[in-house]
Amino acid sequence: MNVGTVSGGTRANVVPGRASAEVGLRFADAGAERCATQAVESLSAIRPGALLKTEWLSHRRAWAADPGNPLAAEFLALARDLGLELGSGTSGGAGDTNYTGAAGIPTVDGLGPDGRGAHGPAEEASLRSLLDRSALLAAYLSAS
């Protein structure tokens, strides 16, 4: 969970007439997703006369790693052939690949560059890893 933005009010010592928060949620599996979704949708205001509204700005279903994913196995084998070390698993993100992965379609994610500081002001990406991932993708496309 990440609270990305919070706004409201006019002064620190005045109860605001209006406030909002934008929260990002990520789920490890469908059960955690259902539990959190139900909890958010059952929220209610506690102050008399207050109104609480929740709105889903976007949604990507939870996608748990599938150890039998043939596409992942193919990419891992190609990476080994190129001398690259890639892992397999989940990162807790919510990319577009969640649509196909959660639908049971063999899907690979995480082919972006190595780096650090994701989504922050000091974010960095490794040029070497970009070249490695490009070679891996080219090997996959030429084998298909």
Side-chain angles (χ1 to χ4, degrees), residues 109-123:
D109 192 10
L111 294 177
D114 292 334
R116 63 182 180 179
H119 309 300
E123 183 172 12

Side-chain angles (χ1 to χ4, degrees), residues 23-44:
V23 178
L25 301 172
R26 304 290 187 270
F27 312 101
D29 58 53
E33 177 183 10
R34 275 191 303 280
C35 182
T37 299
Q38 289 170 354
V40 167
E41 291 176 348
S42 69
L43 291 172
S44 60

Side-chain angles (χ1 to χ4, degrees), residues 42-115:
S42 69
L43 291 172
S44 60
I46 58 171
R47 180 178 290 277
L51 172 69
L52 174 73
K53 178 182 148 190
T54 58
E55 177 183 0
W56 296 100
L57 301 177
S58 68
H59 179 251
R60 285 168 177 75
R61 292 173 39 204
W63 172 34
D66 174 7
N69 180 342
L71 188 57
E74 188 173 351
F75 266 88
L76 288 170
L78 284 169
R80 276 191 304 275
D81 291 347
L82 294 171
L84 303 175
E85 290 185 40
L86 290 183
S88 177
T90 60
S91 68
D96 291 339
T97 51
N98 282 54
Y99 292 118
T100 55
I105 299 167
T107 302
V108 173
D109 192 10
L111 294 177
D114 292 334

Side-chain angles (χ1 to χ4, degrees), residues 119-138:
H119 309 300
E123 183 172 12
E124 295 179 1
S126 158
L127 178 58
R128 176 77 246 163
S129 68
L130 279 171
L131 297 172
D132 290 343
R133 299 307 195 276
S134 298
L136 176 58
L137 186 56

